[in-house]
Amino acid sequence: MLTGSAAGSFTDDIMKWQKRLQTIEAVLSVWLDVQEKWVELEDVYSSLEFRISMPHETNLFSAVNRDFRVLMKATEKNPNVLQACSRTNIQTKLEKLNMNLQQCWKSLLTHLERRRLKFPRFYFLSLEDVLHVVCNGESAFKIT
């Protein structure tokens, strides 16, 4: 882009926009990872079963949930992608949320593995099905 003959007079602007676009790409990449993990874990950690059996992880997820919702409300108020991705420390905050969600996910997998050891039939089910049974075990209508 910078090698073209017409770029000579716009080199500074091109460099600024290139840096802005790289920042947007980096922030949105982490943001989408956080959103994907948050969506997967929200129902799990809101169930009574997990709140009782995994209180530390539930508290960690609650903090992530609160921070993520605040971020999303601020983005709803101002949906400008350039401004949203240029907020102070946004990438660092998202990386911290992502790290905490990964910790919640690992704890969840450990918990499910313990459940599978108690109930070997769970080895024949997919991870999604085991989560569904464990989260909705008290209600037979929800399981079917």
Side-chain angles (χ1 to χ4, degrees):
M1 191 184 297
L2 292 174
T3 58
S5 61
S9 61
F10 299 106
T11 304
D12 290 339
D13 288 337
I14 292 171
M15 293 298 288
K16 277 193 268 184
W17 275 103
Q18 189 173 21
K19 187 175 183 321
R20 287 176 184 166
L21 292 173
Q22 287 171 343
T23 300
I24 289 171
E25 179 184 24
V27 169
L28 288 181
S29 175
V30 178
W31 199 325
L32 290 173
D33 285 345
V34 169
Q35 182 175 350
E36 182 180 332
K37 287 179 180 109
W38 179 81
V39 166
E40 289 175 352
L41 294 173
E42 183 187 21
D43 284 340
V44 173
Y45 281 103
S46 64
S47 75
L48 182 61
E49 148 77 30
F50 282 94
R51 282 187 273 157
I52 293 170
S53 63
M54 301 174 66
H56 173 70
E57 290 80 5
T58 301
N59 290 337
L60 179 61
F61 183 79
S62 294
V64 170
N65 187 36
R66 182 189 63 242
D67 294 343
F68 185 69
R69 287 179 182 272
V70 166
L71 175 66
M72 294 307 291
K73 284 192 186 297
T75 304
E76 182 182 28
K77 288 179 184 174
N78 182 9
N80 183 304
V81 70
L82 181 59
Q83 292 173 3
C85 292
S86 300
R87 291 184 198 140
T88 308
N89 297 325
I90 186 73
Q91 189 167 358
T92 307
K93 290 175 186 175
L94 286 167
E95 287 169 352
K96 183 179 177 189
L97 291 176
N98 197 20
M99 184 180 68
N100 289 341
L101 286 169
Q102 285 176 337
Q103 184 178 345
C104 290
W105 182 252
K106 287 177 185 176
S107 297
L108 174 64
L109 291 178
T110 302
H111 178 76
L112 290 178
E113 187 60 31
R114 285 192 305 257
R115 282 314 225 11
R116 282 181 166 167
L117 289 174
K118 286 182 182 178
F119 302 101
R121 294 168 292 226
F122 284 164
Y123 282 107
F124 296 105
L125 298 175
S126 69
L127 179 62
E128 183 179 299
D129 290 338
V130 172
L131 278 173
H132 188 69
V133 169
V134 171
C135 290
N136 299 307
E138 71 277 352
S139 174
F141 295 112
K142 290 182 180 178
I143 293 176
T144 57

